[in-house]
Amino acid sequence: MKRRGFSYMGDSSSSSTPSSTKTAKSNKTHLDVPRTTSSIIANDDDANNNNNGSSPPPPIDTTVDHDDRFNYALLLALYTLQGIPMGLSASIPFLIQQKVQMLASTAAHAAGSSAAGDVAAEVAAAQHHSLADLTKIAYNSQAIFALCSWPFSLKLLWAPIVDACFSKRFGRRKSWLVPIQLIAGALMVGGSDYVEQELGLDNAMAATGESAADAANSMNVRGVTAFFFALYFLMATQDIAVDGWALTMLSKKNRGKGPICNSIGQNIGYFLSYVGFLALNDVDSSENLWRPLFGLPSKPGVGMVSLGGFVKFMGTFMVVITVFVGLFKKEIDMSIEGGDCCTIGNCNADGSRYKNVNANADMETLLPNKQQEEDDEDDDEHEIDAYEIGIMETYHRLWTVVKLPAVQSLILILLTYRLPCALSDNVKFLKAVEFGLSKQTTALLSPTIVLPLGILVPIIGTKIWKGNPLTQFMWAYKTRVTFVALVDVLMLLAVRSFRGGSGLILGGEATSRAIFWTLLILSTAFQATVNSLQFNAQMTFFAHRVDPAIGGSYMTLLNTFANLGGTWPSSFIMYLIGQFTVPPDCTVKDDGVEVCTGGRDAYFPLQMGLSALGCMWIFFMSKRVQHVAELPDDAWKTHILESEEAEEEEYKKGGKHA
């Protein structure tokens, strides 16, 4: 269906020069200031008065590109803010694991050194029971905290509301962006001490026997989860607003760079708060590196920054950026006529599902012929927006997408394929920290290995699997559930032997150290490679299959199910680890050496079971994946535009007869 309307550049207030939108259509221009009825009439009046001595309007220079450098910087800043709570939440599981480990170690040493004879047996039994409780508490806490990221997987539920309800006086996107970020910043500043207090990070850990389990139970993980759940909800809403604002903030020529700003900015925020916090919070690094580097006095046993102080600093940073945006960045989106907007149902009083056809037609008669030609050629790029058709109609169209058989097959794939990979995704590095790997080492693996591979692998993968994203997807998946899982197990065994055991893996110390670092780097690199290959294949397939009529909403819908497929297994697998892990019986000899016997670590048998499950998934689902890959483009389309075109024609004919 052809949709005509005003063509606008969006937030280009910093420059009044137009830009060419396509190299193949160099005669087309998109004016920085959108054309409203009053501006069109005023321009026509000026043209009619040219004979009275007024100078003609200057010619439009189509060779000057729009300068979006400030807008790029702003988008990067906004997406960086979005990544900060994500990075902070990624560090919480390591802090929970660290505290439980310290409680268990303290209790074990106290029990081993203070008991003798029959009393020793009773204390040992109580200690074993306490350690079993600690293990369950640790992973149950991780399972609960994993729920905090769900809002990003469910943001489609309220995305149409964010698109349809706003104050034009303040700006369509700023109406949500500014208050949301102020609330998030205030929550981080005001709740920083709460998070640290509820996790008990500021308390001395001197518990023995059953008091160790009591101390672990005293952590209010549910409260901390609710805190980060609220932050994720606010940032998911901010993400909806920023994604929409990027479409109007950037010139049309540069709109494709919006997702790049998203990826870079979110990674900056994530690494800044995740890697930055864990590195500065690490006691050894703070004492041996950071304090000497900055010339600060020595404080043994104390990290450079605390969790509460870091959260407060990041919250203050978010508030400052938000105030700057609210005061100095003007949002221009004159495509919205009238005042405040919140379209719940149909936009028109007559009940038509499309937006004021006759009014649009009247407007078009005021446009110059060149502008009409531009609108005609851009019609195919128009995406249906929630403010045009109303919130309820937007939900109706999304439901139409879900009912497509092709989409249902894809949803089944997206919701199930991540379960066999859940241990590598969610537990592997927690288990490595439990076995003795430092938090700092874990944190530094991300920027040194994961980030570079995340940039290079998609480029290489695209060259290898040209035009076959699901073939790339399946190759990476087969590698992920077999070879990568095996390397992960070998890496954890090496960490347990080298860091938590005798310090030797094979041969001498130098050989063991080389094996340890080789397996650690390979495990991290292989996982980052297959993750990047699958994500790139997934996004490429989505982009080539979505219906252009509702492209943005269609993509968000598919991404929602993709996120859900990775979210729900995390809590489930954490719960299983806690239930099936049996701690060993440990005693401390007279010479102070701790000896442990028995026990069962649930990670390794679960990994075998999940790898078998992954092979079964490949056997039963590979044909479905191939079927989805071979479906024609028409199978993914809702044909909404065709039906609306017929309705529009009938509506116009009815108006003429009336």
Side-chain angles (χ1 to χ4, degrees):
M1 172 176 121
K2 291 291 184 183
R3 288 181 177 270
R4 304 178 184 235
F6 299 117
S7 184
Y8 60 92
M9 291 293 291
D11 295 275
S12 321
S13 56
S14 60
S15 174
S16 60
T17 59
S19 64
S20 173
T21 60
K22 296 178 182 177
T23 56
K25 301 174 184 177
S26 59
N27 63 323
K28 294 174 60 179
T29 60
H30 283 256
L31 299 181
D32 290 350
V33 180
R35 298 173 62 85
T36 61
T37 307
S38 58
S39 64
I40 296 171
I41 295 174
N43 290 340
D44 290 341
D45 289 342
D46 290 341
N48 293 333
N49 291 333
N50 284 342
N51 295 332
N52 296 331
S54 60
S55 60
I60 297 176
D61 181 9
T62 61
T63 64
V64 181
D65 289 335
H66 185 274
D67 188 356
D68 273 327
R69 284 176 294 183
F70 174 76
N71 292 330
Y72 289 145
L74 179 58
L75 284 176
L76 284 174
L78 294 176
Y79 283 122
T80 297
L81 295 182
Q82 189 181 118
I84 288 174
M86 299 179 188
L88 287 172
S89 68
S91 66
I92 297 297
F94 292 100
L95 298 179
I96 294 174
Q97 201 78 355
Q98 181 185 36
K99 175 169 182 178
V100 172
Q101 277 185 267
M102 293 181 69
L103 287 171
S105 177
T106 302
H109 281 82
S113 60
S114 63
D118 295 335
V119 178
E122 295 178 3
V123 172
Q127 176 62 19
H128 180 76
H129 177 72
S130 177
L131 290 175
D133 288 343
L134 280 174
T135 302
K136 291 183 179 180
I137 290 169
Y139 284 100
N140 287 346
S141 298
Q142 304 286 7
I144 293 171
F145 186 76
L147 299 174
C148 73
S149 62
W150 274 74
F152 254 91
S153 301
L154 301 174
K155 65 181 179 179
L156 183 67
L157 297 178
W158 64 91
I161 299 174
V162 176
D163 280 338
C165 299
F166 55 89
S167 169
K168 185 188 172 187
R169 297 176 184 86
F170 193 51
R172 182 181 183 188
R173 306 304 177 181
K174 286 172 62 178
S175 297
W176 289 91
L177 185 75
V178 172
I180 286 293
Q181 289 186 178
L182 286 177
I183 294 172
L187 182 63
M188 292 172 70
V189 172
S192 57
D193 293 334
Y194 169 82
V195 175
E196 190 163 21
Q197 178 182 351
E198 295 307 305
L199 288 178
L201 301 179
D202 54 348
N203 295 333
M205 301 175 189
T208 59
E210 292 187 347
S211 63
D214 294 338
N217 269 321
S218 68
M219 293 189 299
N220 184 11
V221 177
R222 288 180 174 83
V224 176
T225 303
F227 177 86
F228 279 97
F229 187 93
L231 281 180
Y232 263 91
F233 175 80
L234 293 170
M235 290 298 99
T237 307
Q238 185 253 26
D239 181 58
I240 298 167
V242 177
D243 286 347
W245 199 3
L247 296 176
T248 56
M249 182 186 297
L250 299 175
S251 61
K252 185 169 184 180
K253 177 181 179 181
N254 296 324
R255 284 179 196 169
K257 298 176 182 176
I260 299 176
C261 295
N262 185 334
S263 178
I264 296 175
Q266 204 174 90
N267 277 313
I268 291 174
Y270 181 88
F271 289 126
L272 181 67
S273 54
Y274 171 62
V275 179
F277 168 71
L278 288 182
L280 294 175
N281 181 255
D282 186 73
V283 173
D284 293 333
S285 299
S286 297
E287 187 64 21
N288 300 323
L289 176 62
W290 304 118
R291 289 195 177 97
L293 182 65
F294 295 111
L296 298 175
S298 174
K299 290 185 179 180
V302 180
M304 183 84 169
V305 298
S306 65
L307 176 62
F310 195 84
V311 172
K312 185 175 294 184
F313 173 80
M314 287 300 179
T316 304
F317 175 69
M318 183 175 293
V319 170
V320 171
I321 296 295
T322 304
V323 171
F324 175 84
V325 173
L327 294 178
F328 299 107
K329 177 59 179 175
K330 185 178 180 182
E331 182 178 0
I332 301 177
D333 193 354
M334 296 297 292
S335 63
I336 316 244
E337 300 294 334
D340 297 346
C341 179
C342 188
T343 51
I344 305 298
N346 296 323
C347 291
N348 303 323
D350 57 14
S352 61
R353 292 169 60 183
Y354 38 86
K355 187 179 178 182
N356 207 344
V357 175
N358 291 333
N360 256 359
D362 292 339
M363 288 292 187
E364 288 163 12
T365 62
L366 300 174
L367 292 173
N369 291 335
K370 182 180 289 188
Q371 185 69 31
Q372 290 187 25
E373 293 173 1
E374 179 183 338
D375 292 334
D376 289 339
E377 294 176 359
D378 286 344
D379 279 339
D380 292 338
E381 299 175 9
H382 177 83
E383 289 184 11
I384 298 171
D385 205 343
Y387 85 86
E388 296 181 68
I389 61 176
I391 297 173
M392 299 308 297
E393 180 63 18
T394 302
Y395 286 123
H396 169 74
R397 295 184 184 210
L398 290 175
W399 180 244
T400 302
V401 174
V402 173
K403 291 192 295 184
L404 292 173
V407 173
Q408 291 178 351
S409 294
L410 183 59
I411 289 174
L412 179 62
I413 294 169
L414 294 175
L415 290 180
T416 55
Y417 85 93
R418 294 285 292 274
L419 178 59
C421 315
L423 278 175
S424 294
D425 291 343
N426 302 284
V427 183
K428 178 176 71 174
F429 282 112
L430 288 176
K431 186 62 67 173
V433 171
E434 179 182 328
F435 289 161
L437 189 67
S438 68
K439 293 184 301 179
Q440 181 193 20
T441 301
T442 305
L444 292 178
L445 289 173
S446 293
T448 56
I449 298 177
V450 178
L451 185 58
L453 287 175
I455 297 172
L456 295 175
V457 168
I459 299 174
I460 299 173
T462 302
K463 294 181 180 296
I464 296 175
W465 291 279
K466 296 179 180 178
N468 297 292
L470 291 190
T471 302
Q472 171 182 324
F473 177 91
M474 287 303 298
W475 184 91
Y477 189 69
K478 292 173 183 177
T479 306
R480 187 176 187 178
V481 299
T482 54
F483 178 71
V484 175
L486 175 62
V487 175
D488 290 345
V489 169
L490 293 176
M491 182 273 290
L492 289 175
L493 292 174
V495 172
R496 186 169 66 177
S497 298
F498 189 71
R499 294 294 192 189
S502 62
L504 298 177
I505 302 173
L506 184 66
E509 182 179 353
T511 304
S512 297
R513 184 178 298 276
I515 294 174
F516 164 76
W517 283 107
T518 299
L519 288 173
L520 182 62
I521 292 172
L522 287 178
S523 175
T524 306
F526 286 150
Q527 183 180 1
T529 299
V530 294
N531 282 350
S532 185
L533 282 173
Q534 286 196 281
F535 181 76
N536 173 252
Q538 176 182 297
M539 296 303 296
T540 302
F541 184 78
F542 290 174
H544 285 84
R545 294 300 186 274
V546 297
D547 187 349
I550 46 177
S553 299
Y554 206 137
M555 281 288 287
T556 305
L557 176 71
L558 296 181
N559 282 323
T560 295
F561 284 106
N563 290 335
L564 279 174
T567 302
W568 76 264
S570 60
S571 295
F572 176 68
I573 205 67
M574 294 284 191
Y575 174 79
L576 290 182
I577 287 285
Q579 292 299 310
F580 292 110
T581 294
V582 177
D585 294 319
C586 297
T587 57
V588 179
K589 295 183 176 181
D590 296 336
D591 57 1
V593 177
E594 184 180 38
V595 178
C596 297
T597 58
R600 180 183 67 240
D601 195 314
Y603 184 97
F604 301 105
L606 277 177
Q607 183 61 78
M608 293 178 60
L610 290 178
S611 293
L613 180 63
C615 293
M616 292 175 60
W617 191 96
I618 294 169
F619 180 79
F620 289 106
M621 297 293 289
S622 57
K623 291 184 179 179
R624 183 181 292 268
V625 174
Q626 184 66 26
H627 170 71
V628 167
E630 294 173 352
L631 286 173
D633 291 344
D634 191 64
W636 303 90
K637 297 188 183 301
T638 59
H639 302 288
I640 289 176
L641 291 185
E642 289 86 341
S643 61
E644 285 197 352
E645 185 175 20
E647 290 183 19
E648 183 176 341
E649 292 298 326
E650 292 180 5
Y651 178 80
K652 288 182 177 180
K653 291 179 181 179
K656 290 180 180 179
H657 291 311

